[in-house]
Amino acid sequence: MTAATRDALRARLAPPPAGARYLTGSEFATLAAACARLLPRPGIDIAGPIDERLAAGTCDGWRYDALPPDREAYRRGMAGLDQTAQAIFGAPFTQLAPAGQDTVLSAVQGGTAPGETWQAMPADRFFEELLAEATEIFFAHPLAQEAIGYAGMADAPGWRRIGLDEREDREPAALRG
């Protein structure tokens, strides 16, 4: 692993900055709750990097043409999650039990979510955008990579041992338990 990759992975292990930079406090709380339901792994901050990207005004490289630009889409999406939660359960998304949050997310994913937001923005497309970005951030985190036994950094030396059950010297050995 190169020094640049090592530095990037160490930075991902650093505690997230406190609070939101782009989203409001309640929007950020909704995003964090949604990410925690989509990829429930304690210790891996997903909402923070999304908010950081939105604050920087950068894009993640693509978007559906049916969605507004990312900053607007995320703001609307968080409002939409709350509207759907209110319509189904009479409470904001962050106040729902996990099963209720899953019901809301399933409705958004299926494109059947009630709420004013989803009349102007396709719920299923927003869900796909959120899930794709959350998944990318999750699997870029060293703890997630460790959990799945990932050892193949893009800047590592080439793979020479490609036969069945062959392991490069730099690869971790499987844990026996």
Side-chain angles (χ1 to χ4, degrees):
M1 175 181 318
T2 66
T5 299
R6 187 174 300 105
D7 290 346
L9 292 173
R10 282 188 179 139
R12 292 175 190 160
L13 287 169
R21 290 195 49 225
Y22 174 73
L23 298 170
T24 66
S26 63
E27 289 169 340
F28 185 81
T30 300
L31 176 61
C35 290
R37 295 306 307 149
L38 294 172
L39 295 157
R41 171 79 182 195
I44 298 179
D45 176 34
I46 297 171
I50 293 172
D51 184 65
E52 286 287 323
R53 181 183 67 75
L54 296 173
T58 59
C59 68
D60 61 359
W62 67 282
R63 74 176 171 92
Y64 288 108
D65 64 353
L67 293 178
D70 287 353
R71 288 172 143 193
E72 184 180 344
Y74 271 94
R75 282 233 154 106
R76 285 181 172 184
M78 296 310 100
L81 289 175
D82 276 336
Q83 290 166 9
T84 301
Q86 286 287 353
I88 297 173
F89 297 106
F93 185 81
T94 56
Q95 292 180 12
L96 301 180
Q101 291 177 341
D102 291 348
T103 297
V104 169
L105 290 169
S106 291
V108 173
Q109 179 184 25
T112 61
E116 175 184 322
T117 293
W118 310 125
Q119 303 306 310
M121 185 172 85
D124 56 345
R125 289 291 189 229
F126 175 74
F127 181 87
E128 288 179 37
E129 170 67 25
L130 172 61
L131 182 60
E133 185 165 10
T135 302
E136 180 180 322
I137 290 167
F138 178 80
F139 283 110
H141 196 281
L143 294 177
Q145 292 174 3
E146 179 182 54
I148 63 171
Y150 180 73
M153 298 303 151
D155 65 346
W159 297 92
R160 292 179 184 83
R161 296 182 183 165
I162 58 172
L164 193 58
D165 294 325
E166 291 182 322
R167 185 181 353 274
E168 297 288 339
D169 293 338
R170 68 180 177 275
E171 290 184 88
L175 297 176
R176 307 274 190 251

